[in-house]
């Protein structure tokens, strides 16, 4: 079974600074990888996803993530953070090759981002 | 715009009450899910369904049941609500045989007094 670790529970950055949120996964092959964002009181919105091909993926709101197989990581980055990026961010992993009801995502426990003005 | 709609955003119930949380999706997805979200614990899967009238237990099914009578609708039922079921409940859907990408509703915040 797959698992996901987000080692940082809280991160605070200044507006305009760069951001990197860490995500490490455990899975026997190359998984499907996702980053979701959740604003307070809202559901989760997909930021970006990796299925195959180019290991650097671009998402919405200026975010990008890089899949590194050797490190089992899928870290989320943004070159310049805006105050509106303050939210909770979840990394998730899905297994390949499953059909029917087998393909459920496994989520990390989330990283809460605070942006200082 | 594709959508997952949770009928109640905020509910306050009393201990022992029966609670229904409703979720409807308009994407013709086969798979539907109910998660519970608590601070520090992330998202935990309660139940999911991969077809009408089919259901499978997730990681924390105790105290919950579900119903899926139509493809677009997935209901979460708390037979006898308890204070430890105070939480945010998230419904999601996905395509069968796909990557597992989930589409989420906006959540239902349940408080049990």
């Amino acid at each position: 079974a797959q698992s996901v670790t987000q080692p940082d529970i809280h991160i605070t950055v200044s507006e305009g600074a760069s951001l990197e949120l860490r995500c490490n996964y455990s899975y026997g092959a190359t998984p499907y990888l996702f980053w979701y964002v959740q604003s307070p009181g809202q559901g989760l919105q997909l930021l970006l996803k990796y299925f195959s091909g180019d290991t650097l993926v671009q998402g919405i709101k200026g975010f990008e993530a890089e899949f590194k197989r050797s490190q089992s990581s899928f870290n989320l980055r943004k070159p310049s953070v805006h105050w509106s990026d303050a939210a909770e961010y979840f990394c998730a992993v899905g297994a390949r090759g499953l059909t029917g009801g087998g393909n459920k995502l496994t989520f990390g426990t989330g990283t809460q981002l605070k942006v200082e003005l | 715009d594709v959508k997952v709609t949770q009928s109640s955003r905020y509910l306050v119930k009393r201990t022992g009450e029966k609670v229904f949380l409703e979720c409807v999706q308009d994407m013709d997805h086969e798979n539907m899910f109910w998660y519970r979200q608590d601070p520090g614990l992330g998202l935990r899967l309660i139940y999911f369904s991969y077809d009408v009238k089919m259901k499978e237990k997730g990681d924390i099914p105790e105290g919950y049941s579900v119903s899926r009578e139509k493809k677009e609708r997935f209901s979460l039922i708390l037979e006898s609500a308890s204070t430890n079921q105070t939480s945010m409940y998230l419904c999601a859907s996905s395509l069968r045989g796909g990557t597992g990408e989930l589409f989420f509703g906006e959540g239902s915040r349940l408080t049990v007094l």
Side-chain angles (χ1 to χ4, degrees):
Chain A
Q2 61 262 37
S3 65
V4 180
T5 301
Q6 292 181 249
D8 303 305
I9 299 173
H10 299 279
I11 283 186
T12 300
V13 299
S14 299
E15 189 174 37
S18 63
L19 171 71
E20 183 169 32
L21 302 182
R22 296 184 290 166
C23 173
N24 292 96
Y25 68 88
S26 173
Y27 181 63
T30 300
Y32 299 123
L33 294 161
F34 306 84
W35 275 100
Y36 285 85
V37 61
Q38 185 182 35
S39 298
Q42 302 297 313
L44 276 69
Q45 179 185 20
L46 182 70
L47 276 178
L48 48 77
K49 55 194 177 188
Y50 172 77
F51 298 154
S52 63
D54 193 347
T55 56
L56 184 63
V57 295
Q58 302 297 320
I60 62 171
K61 305 185 181 187
F63 285 91
E64 65 179 26
E66 186 171 12
F67 168 58
K68 292 186 177 180
R69 187 193 311 273
S70 61
Q71 299 177 18
S72 297
S73 69
F74 189 57
N75 294 348
L76 182 70
R77 301 195 294 247
K78 187 171 185 179
S80 178
V81 170
H82 188 262
W83 64 267
S84 60
D85 293 324
E88 190 157 22
Y89 292 80
F90 292 92
C91 182
V93 59
R96 290 182 182 269
L98 298 178
T99 59
N103 203 357
K104 305 184 293 294
L105 296 190
T106 299
F107 286 84
T109 51
T111 298
Q112 188 72 47
L113 174 65
K114 180 180 176 182
V115 180
E116 291 182 333
L117 300 176
Chain B
D1 198 14
V2 295
K3 219 168 174 177
V4 178
T5 303
Q6 295 182 231
S7 56
S8 303
R9 293 294 310 278
Y10 301 95
L11 304 94
V12 180
K13 299 292 182 180
R14 297 210 174 271
T15 301
E17 279 192 81
K18 191 168 186 176
V19 181
F20 292 88
L21 299 180
E22 305 285 343
C23 176
V24 176
Q25 51 96 4
D26 65 1
M27 294 170 281
D28 202 34
H29 284 170
E30 292 84 5
N31 301 331
M32 295 189 75
F33 304 79
W34 276 106
Y35 286 89
R36 171 177 172 159
Q37 183 182 15
D38 300 287
L41 297 178
L43 276 71
R44 293 181 291 169
L45 182 62
I46 304 171
Y47 266 98
F48 69 100
S49 168
Y50 53 88
D51 204 347
V52 176
K53 297 192 186 294
M54 304 301 289
K55 61 184 179 184
E56 286 198 20
K57 294 180 180 179
D59 301 317
I60 53 162
E62 296 77 20
Y64 303 94
S65 63
V66 291
S67 173
R68 191 151 180 218
E69 296 297 318
K70 293 185 177 182
K71 187 177 185 179
E72 67 270 19
R73 186 180 298 270
F74 192 37
S75 303
L76 180 68
I77 303 156
L78 288 67
E79 294 288 343
S80 178
S82 64
T83 55
N84 62 13
Q85 292 178 310
T86 292
S87 188
M88 170 72 104
Y89 291 89
L90 293 166
C91 176
S93 69
S94 70
L95 200 59
R96 177 185 295 167
T99 62
E101 178 181 346
L102 290 172
F103 296 81
F104 282 88
E106 293 197 330
S108 298
R109 171 74 65 185
L110 172 65
T111 301
V112 183
L113 302 175

